[in-house]
Amino acid sequence: MHAITISEPGGPEALVWTEVPEPVAGEGEVLVEVAAAGVNRADVLQRRGFYAPPPGASPYPGLECAGRVAAVGEGVTGWQVGQEVCALLAGGGYAERVAVPAGQLLPVPEGMDLVKAASLPEVACTVWSNVFSIAGLRSGETLLVHGGGSGIGTFAVQLAKARGARVAVTAGSAEKLARCAELGADILINYREEDFVERLAEATGGAGADVVLDIVGAKYLARNVAALAPGGRLAVIGMQGGTRAELDLSALLAKRGTITATSLRARPLAEKAAVVAAVREQVWPLLAQGRVRAVVDRTLPMAEAARAHRVMEAGEHVGKIVLTR
């Protein structure tokens, strides 16, 4: 088969469509014929040499895909050859076929095509596990989403609104903020022109955010704590603004705040299967009802993954970029 390989860490030109050995479905796994794969910021980090796959995972980039079941490994039940599926991956989505632990498979949401389905597993699992399972966002609370125009951001806005929360977003352009508003965002903050802590305080009568979903990391740490409401929860899922920062713990104590930081890729299979099962139960019905939708900015041929990475690094897209075969 063919897959996108990384010749050596570097720029987008390091991504090469190459013939590679075909995977097989081992015990407890399903082989998926890939029709489309979502592009994520983590893929860019892997290409640059900063985010290696966990032991035993495919060396090829790609943390989510959609396609059809090509083979079922020993001990797998509930999935049949030819069935349309999407999947959360530890790697290998940028390929013609990928072997997936059965617990990380999801049916394609009712009425959705495979391209849109490929954009969902990573964002749905990330948002559900961090905003709802860990941070415990409740109806009537306020969620602040940094990077509201990203794949994570566009999904978080919709899911939080569907579950009764008020949503604030930051983004770097009026166009992205307008798209966030279309998805349901209530408070729109242009981080290039406004201080998000001050703007959020104004919009919430000084209350702040009950939950902050942060992709920036170190650069925003102290200001995120300042933006928290009493008893607020900060969920850090990215490090685009660095990995090291100082924090005045008295500020966190004064807020009675909580900071969590998680990633999905290296979690044990049982933990990932539990997240996927929760997403299937709690999120998939909202997609079938049209209350939450996939936001795909553009599609590109899988062999042109380098072009997709250039688009992502330029930061001009809204929602997800999807590679197709």
Side-chain angles (χ1 to χ4, degrees), residues 189-259:
I189 306 169
N190 187 325
Y191 68 81
R192 299 184 192 276
E193 300 175 356
E194 304 172 283
D195 181 279
F196 72 82
V197 180
E198 293 178 0
R199 178 73 181 86
L200 184 67
E202 292 172 1
T204 59
D210 299 287
V211 176
V212 176
L213 183 63
D214 179 46
I215 62 172
V216 178
K219 182 179 177 180
Y220 275 10
L221 179 60
R223 295 168 69 206
N224 277 332
V225 170
L228 289 177
R233 293 85 74 193
L234 167 59
V236 180
I237 60 169
M239 300 175 292
Q240 293 181 32
T243 61
R244 294 178 179 272
E246 287 190 1
L247 177 65
D248 182 352
L249 288 176
S250 65
L252 187 63
L253 287 167
K255 293 293 181 77
R256 304 187 303 280
T258 302
I259 301 174

Side-chain angles (χ1 to χ4, degrees), residues 68-181:
R68 296 173 180 83
V69 174
V72 175
E74 184 179 349
V76 174
T77 59
W79 303 102
Q80 300 177 353
V81 172
Q83 186 174 358
E84 291 191 342
V85 295
C86 52
L88 179 72
L89 309 173
Y94 292 16
E96 293 180 321
R97 284 172 286 284
V98 63
V100 186
Q104 291 167 221
L105 283 180
L106 287 156
V108 171
E110 183 179 341
M112 186 174 292
D113 63 34
L114 290 174
V115 171
K116 290 182 178 178
S119 75
L120 292 173
E122 178 72 15
V123 294
C125 290
T126 297
V127 172
W128 177 261
S129 62
N130 285 278
V131 174
F132 296 94
S133 295
I134 298 174
L137 182 70
R138 297 181 289 272
S139 178
E141 290 191 323
T142 298
L143 169 68
L144 170 61
V145 180
H146 289 302
S150 66
I152 291 286
T154 52
F155 197 86
V157 169
Q158 296 181 84
L159 188 55
K161 289 297 293 183
R163 294 180 65 86
R166 186 183 190 190
V167 181
V169 297
T170 65
S173 72
E175 292 77 13
K176 287 188 177 183
L177 290 173
R179 294 290 300 278
C180 291

